[in-house]
Amino acid sequence: MELSTFMNSSSNDVGMLSTIISDELAGMRLDQALARLWPEYSRSRLKQWVDEGLVSVNSKVMRPKDKVREGDKVLLQPQQIPDQSWLAEDIAIDVVYEDDEIIVVNKAAGIVVHPAAGNYQGTLANALLHHAPDLVSVPRVGIVHRLDKDTTGLLVIARTLRAHKSLIEQLEARRVKRKYVAIAQGVMVSGATIDAPIARHPVNRQRMAVVRTGREAITHYRVRERFRRHTMVDVQLETGRTHQIRVHMAHIKCPLLGDPVYNGRARRMAGASPELTACLDSFRRQALHAFELELVHPASKETVGWQAPIPDDLLTVAEALRRDCQLHLEDR
Protein backbone atom coordinates (compact mmCIF):
# COMPACT_ATOMS: atom_id res chain seq x y z
CA MET A 1 0.00 0.00 0.00
CA GLU A 2 1.48 3.32 -1.04
CA LEU A 3 0.82 6.63 0.70
CA SER A 4 1.48 10.03 -0.80
CA THR A 5 1.23 13.55 0.61
CA PHE A 6 0.96 16.96 -1.01
CA MET A 7 0.31 20.37 0.44
CA ASN A 8 -2.98 22.20 0.03
CA SER A 9 -3.08 25.98 -0.30
CA SER A 10 -5.27 26.63 2.75
CA SER A 11 -3.25 28.08 5.65
CA ASN A 12 -5.21 25.97 8.18
CA ASP A 13 -4.61 22.71 6.34
CA VAL A 14 -2.06 20.16 7.46
CA GLY A 15 -1.68 18.62 3.96
CA MET A 16 -3.74 16.41 1.66
CA LEU A 17 -3.26 12.68 2.18
CA SER A 18 -4.10 10.06 -0.42
CA THR A 19 -3.99 6.27 -0.60
CA ILE A 20 -5.45 3.25 -2.37
CA ILE A 21 -7.49 0.72 -0.39
CA SER A 22 -5.73 -2.64 -0.23
CA ASP A 23 -7.38 -6.06 -0.10
CA GLU A 24 -6.62 -6.11 3.64
CA LEU A 25 -8.96 -3.17 4.23
CA ALA A 26 -11.59 -4.06 1.64
CA GLY A 27 -15.05 -4.47 3.17
CA MET A 28 -14.34 -2.31 6.21
CA ARG A 29 -16.41 0.70 7.20
CA LEU A 30 -14.83 3.93 6.00
CA ASP A 31 -14.17 5.19 9.55
CA GLN A 32 -12.51 1.88 10.50
CA ALA A 33 -10.33 1.92 7.40
CA LEU A 34 -9.28 5.52 8.05
CA ALA A 35 -8.25 4.61 11.59
CA ARG A 36 -6.02 1.85 10.20
CA LEU A 37 -4.58 4.08 7.47
CA TRP A 38 -3.82 7.12 9.65
CA PRO A 39 -3.53 5.97 13.27
CA GLU A 40 -1.90 9.28 14.27
CA TYR A 41 -5.40 10.83 14.22
CA SER A 42 -8.10 9.93 16.73
CA ARG A 43 -11.22 8.07 15.55
CA SER A 44 -13.45 10.93 16.66
CA ARG A 45 -11.44 13.45 14.64
CA LEU A 46 -11.45 11.22 11.55
CA LYS A 47 -15.23 10.84 11.83
CA GLN A 48 -15.56 14.61 12.19
CA TRP A 49 -13.60 15.12 8.98
CA VAL A 50 -15.78 12.55 7.17
CA ASP A 51 -18.92 14.36 8.37
CA GLU A 52 -17.46 17.69 7.21
CA GLY A 53 -16.79 16.36 3.72
CA LEU A 54 -13.02 16.42 4.12
CA VAL A 55 -12.73 12.76 3.08
CA SER A 56 -13.58 11.50 -0.39
CA VAL A 57 -13.58 8.02 -1.92
CA ASN A 58 -13.22 7.95 -5.69
CA SER A 59 -14.00 11.70 -5.63
CA LYS A 60 -17.29 11.11 -3.77
CA VAL A 61 -18.19 12.03 -0.20
CA MET A 62 -19.21 9.00 1.85
CA ARG A 63 -20.64 8.33 5.29
CA PRO A 64 -18.54 6.84 8.12
CA LYS A 65 -20.48 3.56 7.95
CA ASP A 66 -20.14 3.11 4.18
CA LYS A 67 -17.92 0.19 3.11
CA VAL A 68 -14.74 0.62 1.10
CA ARG A 69 -13.54 -1.68 -1.69
CA GLU A 70 -10.15 -2.77 -2.92
CA GLY A 71 -8.73 -0.19 -5.31
CA ASP A 72 -10.79 2.72 -3.96
CA LYS A 73 -8.85 5.99 -3.95
CA VAL A 74 -9.17 7.82 -0.63
CA LEU A 75 -8.35 11.50 -0.18
CA LEU A 76 -8.17 13.05 3.29
CA GLN A 77 -7.70 16.72 4.06
CA PRO A 78 -6.78 16.95 7.79
CA GLN A 79 -8.02 20.46 8.36
CA GLN A 80 -7.90 22.33 11.64
CA ILE A 81 -10.14 25.28 12.41
CA PRO A 82 -8.39 27.63 14.85
CA ASP A 83 -10.27 28.96 17.85
CA GLN A 84 -10.20 32.69 17.26
CA SER A 85 -11.19 33.38 20.85
CA TRP A 86 -7.78 32.13 22.02
CA LEU A 87 -5.44 34.96 21.12
CA ALA A 88 -1.67 35.01 21.26
CA GLU A 89 -0.19 37.16 24.04
CA ASP A 90 3.43 37.99 24.76
CA ILE A 91 3.61 36.42 28.22
CA ALA A 92 6.86 35.00 29.56
CA ILE A 93 6.86 31.24 30.09
CA ASP A 94 9.57 28.89 31.33
CA VAL A 95 10.16 26.39 28.52
CA VAL A 96 12.00 23.37 29.89
CA TYR A 97 12.14 21.45 26.60
CA GLU A 98 10.76 21.64 23.08
CA ASP A 99 11.06 19.93 19.72
CA ASP A 100 8.83 19.50 16.66
CA GLU A 101 6.35 17.31 18.57
CA ILE A 102 6.08 18.54 22.17
CA ILE A 103 6.76 21.47 24.47
CA VAL A 104 7.36 21.06 28.21
CA VAL A 105 6.89 24.11 30.41
CA ASN A 106 7.39 24.84 34.09
CA LYS A 107 4.22 26.75 34.96
CA ALA A 108 4.44 29.59 37.44
CA ALA A 109 1.92 30.21 40.22
CA GLY A 110 -0.96 32.53 39.44
CA ILE A 111 -1.43 31.64 35.76
CA VAL A 112 -4.54 29.86 34.49
CA VAL A 113 -3.82 27.08 32.00
CA HIS A 114 -6.49 27.83 29.40
CA PRO A 115 -9.20 30.43 28.75
CA ALA A 116 -12.52 30.02 30.53
CA ALA A 117 -15.25 32.21 31.94
CA GLY A 118 -13.56 35.14 33.64
CA ASN A 119 -10.11 34.25 32.29
CA TYR A 120 -10.02 34.83 28.55
CA GLN A 121 -6.63 36.52 28.59
CA GLY A 122 -3.34 36.10 30.39
CA THR A 123 -3.49 32.30 30.33
CA LEU A 124 -0.84 29.74 29.52
CA ALA A 125 -2.71 28.99 26.28
CA ASN A 126 -2.39 32.63 25.20
CA ALA A 127 1.32 32.55 26.01
CA LEU A 128 1.84 29.30 24.11
CA LEU A 129 0.19 30.69 20.98
CA HIS A 130 2.66 33.56 21.02
CA HIS A 131 5.60 31.23 21.64
CA ALA A 132 4.55 28.66 19.00
CA PRO A 133 1.89 29.98 16.57
CA ASP A 134 1.61 26.54 14.92
CA LEU A 135 -0.30 25.38 18.02
CA VAL A 136 -3.38 27.06 16.55
CA SER A 137 -3.83 23.88 14.46
CA VAL A 138 -3.88 21.52 17.45
CA PRO A 139 -6.99 21.01 19.64
CA ARG A 140 -6.92 23.27 22.71
CA VAL A 141 -3.52 24.55 21.51
CA GLY A 142 -2.03 21.21 22.47
CA ILE A 143 -2.94 21.27 26.16
CA VAL A 144 -3.69 17.68 27.20
CA HIS A 145 -3.62 18.01 31.00
CA ARG A 146 -3.67 20.91 33.41
CA LEU A 147 -2.50 22.33 36.69
CA ASP A 148 -4.60 24.54 38.93
CA LYS A 149 -3.96 28.28 38.76
CA ASP A 150 -1.77 28.38 41.86
CA THR A 151 -0.08 25.01 41.40
CA THR A 152 3.39 25.23 39.88
CA GLY A 153 5.35 22.77 37.82
CA LEU A 154 5.62 20.70 34.67
CA LEU A 155 3.10 20.45 31.85
CA VAL A 156 3.53 18.83 28.43
CA ILE A 157 1.92 20.37 25.34
CA ALA A 158 1.31 18.53 22.07
CA ARG A 159 2.64 20.38 19.06
CA THR A 160 1.15 18.09 16.40
CA LEU A 161 -1.97 16.00 15.97
CA ARG A 162 0.16 12.86 16.22
CA ALA A 163 1.59 14.02 19.52
CA HIS A 164 -1.86 15.08 20.76
CA LYS A 165 -3.31 11.63 20.09
CA SER A 166 -0.32 9.86 21.63
CA LEU A 167 -0.34 11.92 24.82
CA ILE A 168 -4.10 11.58 25.28
CA GLU A 169 -3.81 7.81 24.91
CA GLN A 170 -0.90 7.68 27.37
CA LEU A 171 -2.83 9.70 29.91
CA GLU A 172 -5.90 7.50 29.52
CA ALA A 173 -3.75 4.37 29.88
CA ARG A 174 -2.03 5.89 32.96
CA ARG A 175 1.40 5.66 31.35
CA VAL A 176 2.33 9.30 32.02
CA LYS A 177 4.14 9.57 35.35
CA ARG A 178 3.45 12.78 37.26
CA LYS A 179 5.10 13.40 40.61
CA TYR A 180 4.44 16.31 42.95
CA VAL A 181 5.87 17.69 46.15
CA ALA A 182 3.45 19.18 48.66
CA ILE A 183 3.35 20.54 52.19
CA ALA A 184 0.34 19.30 54.11
CA GLN A 185 -1.01 20.33 57.49
CA GLY A 186 -0.79 17.53 60.01
CA VAL A 187 1.93 15.01 60.81
CA MET A 188 1.83 11.89 58.63
CA VAL A 189 3.37 8.73 60.04
CA SER A 190 4.12 7.02 56.73
CA GLY A 191 3.18 6.91 53.07
CA ALA A 192 0.03 5.32 51.73
CA THR A 193 -2.38 5.12 48.80
CA ILE A 194 -5.65 7.02 48.74
CA ASP A 195 -8.28 5.25 46.63
CA ALA A 196 -11.40 7.40 46.87
CA PRO A 197 -13.72 8.40 43.99
CA ILE A 198 -14.09 12.10 43.18
CA ALA A 199 -16.97 14.09 41.74
CA ARG A 200 -18.50 17.55 41.99
CA HIS A 201 -19.48 18.49 45.52
CA PRO A 202 -23.20 17.73 45.90
CA VAL A 203 -23.91 21.20 47.33
CA ASN A 204 -21.05 23.53 46.33
CA ARG A 205 -20.60 22.98 42.58
CA GLN A 206 -17.41 25.05 42.55
CA ARG A 207 -15.66 22.35 44.57
CA MET A 208 -14.81 18.69 44.11
CA ALA A 209 -15.32 16.08 46.82
CA VAL A 210 -14.93 12.41 47.62
CA VAL A 211 -18.27 10.99 46.49
CA ARG A 212 -19.19 7.31 46.48
CA THR A 213 -20.60 7.52 42.95
CA GLY A 214 -17.72 9.62 41.62
CA ARG A 215 -14.98 8.68 39.15
CA GLU A 216 -12.10 6.49 40.27
CA ALA A 217 -9.26 8.50 41.78
CA ILE A 218 -6.00 7.04 43.09
CA THR A 219 -3.19 9.01 44.73
CA HIS A 220 0.06 7.60 46.13
CA TYR A 221 2.13 9.55 48.63
CA ARG A 222 5.22 9.08 50.77
CA VAL A 223 6.76 11.21 53.47
CA ARG A 224 9.71 13.36 52.44
CA GLU A 225 10.15 15.34 55.67
CA ARG A 226 8.20 15.80 58.91
CA PHE A 227 7.87 19.05 60.82
CA ARG A 228 6.12 19.83 64.12
CA ARG A 229 2.67 20.32 62.64
CA HIS A 230 3.24 19.79 58.93
CA THR A 231 4.57 17.15 56.54
CA MET A 232 6.32 17.51 53.19
CA VAL A 233 5.26 14.64 50.94
CA ASP A 234 6.01 13.30 47.48
CA VAL A 235 2.80 12.52 45.62
CA GLN A 236 2.27 10.46 42.49
CA LEU A 237 -0.97 10.48 40.55
CA GLU A 238 -2.36 7.29 39.08
CA THR A 239 -5.48 9.06 37.83
CA GLY A 240 -5.97 12.72 37.02
CA ARG A 241 -9.20 14.11 38.43
CA THR A 242 -9.85 17.80 38.97
CA HIS A 243 -8.21 18.98 42.24
CA GLN A 244 -7.36 15.33 42.98
CA ILE A 245 -4.39 15.85 45.30
CA ARG A 246 -6.05 18.72 47.11
CA VAL A 247 -9.29 16.77 47.64
CA HIS A 248 -7.55 13.57 48.72
CA MET A 249 -5.26 15.31 51.19
CA ALA A 250 -8.23 17.09 52.73
CA HIS A 251 -10.09 13.76 52.81
CA ILE A 252 -7.44 12.21 55.07
CA LYS A 253 -7.49 15.32 57.30
CA CYS A 254 -4.16 16.63 56.04
CA PRO A 255 -5.15 19.49 53.72
CA LEU A 256 -2.49 21.30 51.74
CA LEU A 257 -0.96 24.33 53.37
CA GLY A 258 -2.44 27.52 51.92
CA ASP A 259 -5.25 25.81 50.03
CA PRO A 260 -8.00 28.45 49.90
CA VAL A 261 -10.71 25.97 48.90
CA TYR A 262 -10.11 22.74 50.81
CA ASN A 263 -8.25 23.91 53.93
CA GLY A 264 -11.01 25.97 55.49
CA ARG A 265 -10.12 28.91 57.69
CA ALA A 266 -6.39 29.10 58.37
CA ARG A 267 -5.43 28.43 61.98
CA ARG A 268 -2.45 29.91 63.77
CA MET A 269 0.23 27.38 64.68
CA ALA A 270 0.64 27.01 68.43
CA GLY A 271 4.08 27.90 69.67
CA ALA A 272 5.21 29.32 66.34
CA SER A 273 7.70 32.16 66.33
CA PRO A 274 6.64 35.53 64.91
CA GLU A 275 8.87 34.83 61.90
CA LEU A 276 7.18 31.48 61.16
CA THR A 277 3.72 32.96 61.70
CA ALA A 278 4.49 35.75 59.24
CA CYS A 279 5.87 33.24 56.73
CA LEU A 280 2.77 31.03 56.91
CA ASP A 281 0.42 34.01 56.77
CA SER A 282 2.11 35.32 53.64
CA PHE A 283 1.88 32.01 51.78
CA ARG A 284 -1.33 32.50 49.80
CA ARG A 285 -1.53 29.45 47.52
CA GLN A 286 -1.78 25.68 47.88
CA ALA A 287 1.69 24.26 48.60
CA LEU A 288 1.84 22.01 45.56
CA HIS A 289 4.45 21.69 42.81
CA ALA A 290 4.64 19.21 39.90
CA PHE A 291 8.35 18.44 39.99
CA GLU A 292 8.69 15.38 37.73
CA LEU A 293 7.14 14.31 34.42
CA GLU A 294 7.84 11.14 32.44
CA LEU A 295 6.25 9.89 29.21
CA VAL A 296 6.88 8.11 25.93
CA HIS A 297 7.93 10.56 23.21
CA PRO A 298 5.27 10.53 20.44
CA ALA A 299 7.87 10.36 17.65
CA SER A 300 10.91 8.50 18.99
CA LYS A 301 8.85 6.15 21.23
CA GLU A 302 11.58 6.48 23.84
CA THR A 303 10.83 7.17 27.50
CA VAL A 304 11.77 10.76 28.32
CA GLY A 305 11.48 12.77 31.51
CA TRP A 306 12.09 16.14 33.12
CA GLN A 307 12.35 17.65 36.58
CA ALA A 308 11.55 21.16 37.77
CA PRO A 309 13.21 22.48 40.94
CA ILE A 310 11.03 23.26 43.93
CA PRO A 311 10.09 26.96 43.71
CA ASP A 312 11.52 29.49 46.14
CA ASP A 313 8.27 30.15 47.99
CA LEU A 314 7.89 26.48 48.93
CA LEU A 315 11.55 26.25 49.91
CA THR A 316 11.16 29.32 52.14
CA VAL A 317 8.20 27.76 53.96
CA ALA A 318 10.00 24.43 54.34
CA GLU A 319 13.07 26.15 55.80
CA ALA A 320 10.91 28.14 58.24
CA LEU A 321 9.20 24.94 59.40
CA ARG A 322 12.59 23.27 59.71
CA ARG A 323 13.91 26.08 61.93
CA ASP A 324 10.76 25.83 64.05
CA CYS A 325 11.48 22.14 64.65
CA GLN A 326 15.05 22.90 65.64
CA LEU A 327 14.03 25.67 68.04
CA HIS A 328 11.59 23.41 69.86
CA LEU A 329 14.16 20.64 70.13
CA GLU A 330 16.62 23.10 71.67
CA ASP A 331 13.96 24.26 74.16
CA ARG A 332 13.47 20.77 75.56
Side-chain angles (χ1 to χ4, degrees):
M1 181 173 61
E2 182 180 352
L3 291 174
S4 61
T5 306
F6 60 92
M7 294 307 297
N8 187 282
S9 60
S10 172
S11 62
N12 294 330
D13 296 340
V14 177
M16 184 75 79
L17 303 174
S18 68
T19 190
I20 303 298
I21 295 296
S22 67
D23 59 349
E24 180 186 358
L25 302 181
M28 282 189 176
R29 289 169 48 117
L30 175 59
D31 55 356
Q32 295 172 338
L34 292 175
R36 293 280 295 276
L37 290 166
W38 292 291
E40 65 267 31
Y41 302 126
S42 67
R43 288 177 179 266
S44 61
R45 189 156 296 276
L46 288 166
K47 181 180 182 301
Q48 176 186 351
W49 287 333
V50 173
D51 293 339
E52 292 175 353
L54 299 175
V55 178
S56 66
V57 179
N58 300 328
S59 301
K60 295 181 180 179
V61 175
M62 297 176 62
R63 298 169 298 177
K65 67 179 182 179
D66 290 337
K67 302 293 180 63
V68 294
R69 299 172 298 178
E70 183 180 359
D72 282 346
K73 183 177 182 179
V74 181
L75 294 179
L76 165 63
Q77 176 59 72
Q79 186 179 49
Q80 296 297 308
I81 302 174
D83 187 340
Q84 297 297 335
S85 66
W86 291 23
L87 303 176
E89 293 183 70
D90 187 2
I91 301 170
I93 53 175
D94 181 7
V95 176
V96 175
Y97 173 85
E98 67 178 314
D99 59 26
D100 292 339
E101 295 288 333
I102 60 174
I103 301 172
V104 178
V105 300
N106 181 16
K107 190 186 84 68
I111 185 169
V112 175
V113 170
H114 49 69
N119 290 287
Y120 290 107
Q121 295 180 327
T123 72
L124 179 63
N126 300 117
L128 286 167
L129 282 171
H130 182 270
H131 176 78
D134 54 306
L135 288 172
V136 74
S137 295
V138 186
R140 302 180 73 78
V141 301
I143 294 171
V144 294
H145 65 125
R146 63 186 292 272
L147 294 175
D148 296 330
K149 177 181 178 181
D150 289 321
T151 297
T152 56
L154 295 170
L155 279 170
V156 62
I157 292 90
R159 204 164 188 169
T160 66
L161 289 174
R162 172 175 66 176
H164 187 269
K165 180 173 183 288
S166 173
L167 293 174
I168 290 292
E169 289 176 346
Q170 290 184 58
L171 285 163
E172 290 177 346
R174 303 179 185 178
R175 292 197 297 267
V176 176
K177 293 183 179 179
R178 292 167 289 170
K179 294 183 180 180
Y180 298 72
V181 61
I183 298 177
Q185 290 192 188
V187 179
M188 300 181 183
V189 176
S190 62
T193 293
I194 306 170
D195 185 349
I198 290 176
R200 288 285 171 189
H201 193 285
V203 177
N204 185 346
R205 307 301 289 176
Q206 302 301 312
R207 299 177 56 179
M208 307 300 289
V210 169
V211 179
R212 183 178 57 82
T213 56
R215 299 178 68 188
E216 181 185 34
I218 301 174
T219 302
H220 309 283
Y221 69 90
R222 65 180 181 85
V223 173
R224 178 185 283 226
E225 186 174 1
R226 294 184 189 88
F227 308 109
R228 267 201 320 126
R229 297 288 184 268
H230 298 78
T231 308
M232 180 177 278
V233 291
D234 288 338
V235 184
Q236 183 167 344
L237 289 179
E238 187 168 323
T239 55
R241 308 303 174 212
T242 300
H243 298 176
Q244 179 173 319
I245 295 174
R246 299 164 64 187
V247 171
H248 272 173
M249 289 295 107
H251 178 66
I252 63 170
K253 310 303 182 186
C254 291
L256 297 189
L257 173 69
D259 192 329
V261 177
Y262 300 101
N263 198 2
R265 181 175 295 179
R267 297 179 181 177
R268 290 296 175 92
M269 184 173 164
S273 67
E275 291 77 15
L276 176 58
T277 298
C279 179
L280 296 179
D281 287 349
S282 65
F283 193 82
R284 299 298 180 87
R285 70 177 184 93
Q286 62 266 9
L288 184 62
H289 172 68
F291 76 92
E292 188 171 317
L293 178 67
E294 184 178 286
L295 51 89
V296 175
H297 193 280
S300 70
K301 306 305 180 185
E302 295 179 350
T303 299
V304 290
W306 304 268
Q307 290 190 339
I310 299 174
D312 289 342
D313 61 347
L314 273 181
L315 290 176
T316 297
V317 170
E319 181 56 31
L321 292 171
R322 204 171 288 124
R323 286 198 303 269
D324 173 75
C325 286
Q326 187 61 38
L327 287 172
H328 281 77
L329 283 174
E330 292 174 354
D331 289 342
R332 290 182 178 180

